[in-house]
Amino acid sequence: MLGQAIEEVLGNHFLTPSNSPFARGRTIRKGRSIISPPYEGGDKGEVLAYSRNDLDITDNSAVFAKITQLKPAVLINATGYTNVDGAETDKKTAFAVNAEAVQNIAEICARINAVFFHFSTDYVFDGSQRHGYSEDDMDHIAPLNVYGESKLEGELRIKNQESRIKNKEWKYFIIRTSWLYGSGGKNF
């Protein structure tokens, strides 16, 4: 489904060697699912994926160097500090990963005009709706915990950062999800 969305943004030939996507989060469920067939290369291009050991997203200079070297057409940020309970006691790390690093990646993507896909969470909402939320449901944006606050801050930094405002052509997508599952690993 994400591959289909990328095709709609970039056209049928979105995976050519000159405009390969870049995915961060290879070892987590989202990352493994993103780089699964049919989007793992072949004649349509190459998907480059990096684990935490390959690229620490909180190291701004390393992230800048890697992204500007590769100049991807699409960058999919499948990372995040997702330990909801742990975020309550490790607020600094939650915000470093979910807000500060996201801002840095978004800034670089806007500069090189790479389409940016970012995964967020329904934890940005107040939890009061019984029927779900719409993407523009601003009346219920009120995180109940540090994890939700850090993810919301990341969203706001994508939307409000300076290069995005200067580059009106830059495209970004924030995907709010409440549940992820896939092959391998624990699914809650």
Side-chain angles (χ1 to χ4, degrees):
M1 187 154 8
L2 184 57
Q4 182 179 15
I6 295 170
E7 281 186 27
E8 288 175 16
V9 172
L10 297 177
N12 291 333
H13 305 291
F14 79 96
L15 281 176
T16 62
S18 63
N19 69 355
S20 296
F22 172 105
R24 171 66 180 90
R26 178 179 68 180
T27 60
I28 60 173
R29 184 170 353 284
K30 288 179 288 193
R32 282 193 308 267
S33 297
I34 290 166
I35 63 173
S36 296
Y39 298 107
E40 65 181 4
D43 62 352
K44 288 191 171 190
E46 182 179 17
V47 174
L48 306 170
Y50 296 90
S51 70
R52 180 184 316 158
N53 293 333
D54 298 328
L55 183 64
D56 176 0
I57 66 166
T58 62
D59 182 343
N60 290 346
S61 59
V63 170
F64 179 83
K66 181 61 75 177
I67 295 172
T68 56
Q69 171 202 355
L70 296 171
K71 293 182 180 60
V74 176
L75 192 144
I76 303 165
N77 181 28
T79 65
Y81 185 94
T82 59
N83 182 343
V84 176
D85 295 332
E88 295 298 318
T89 57
D90 194 4
K91 185 175 182 175
K92 182 178 178 181
T93 302
F95 273 85
V97 172
N98 294 340
E100 295 162 23
V102 169
Q103 177 182 357
N104 183 47
I105 294 168
E107 176 76 25
I108 299 164
C109 286
R111 284 187 195 176
I112 66 170
N113 210 29
V115 178
F116 183 45
F117 285 85
H118 173 70
F119 284 91
S120 190
T121 178
D122 64 335
Y123 276 72
V124 301
F125 295 112
D126 62 11
S128 66
Q129 288 288 89
R130 298 190 75 170
H131 304 296
Y133 302 93
S134 72
E135 63 189 61
D136 297 319
D137 197 350
M138 301 308 292
D139 293 339
H140 296 283
I141 299 285
L144 300 176
N145 56 32
V146 172
Y147 169 68
E149 291 170 2
S150 69
K151 295 298 277 185
L152 177 59
E153 183 65 23
E155 289 185 18
L156 294 173
R157 290 183 184 201
I158 292 169
K159 293 175 185 178
N160 298 319
Q161 53 90 16
E162 188 176 331
S163 289
R164 186 203 70 78
I165 294 165
K166 289 179 183 175
N167 181 355
K168 302 287 186 204
E169 300 299 312
W170 181 58
K171 292 181 175 71
Y172 68 90
F173 298 87
I174 297 170
I175 303 160
R176 288 182 181 148
T177 183
S178 60
W179 199 273
L180 294 169
Y181 62 93
S183 62
K186 186 173 103 177
N187 291 296
F188 296 98

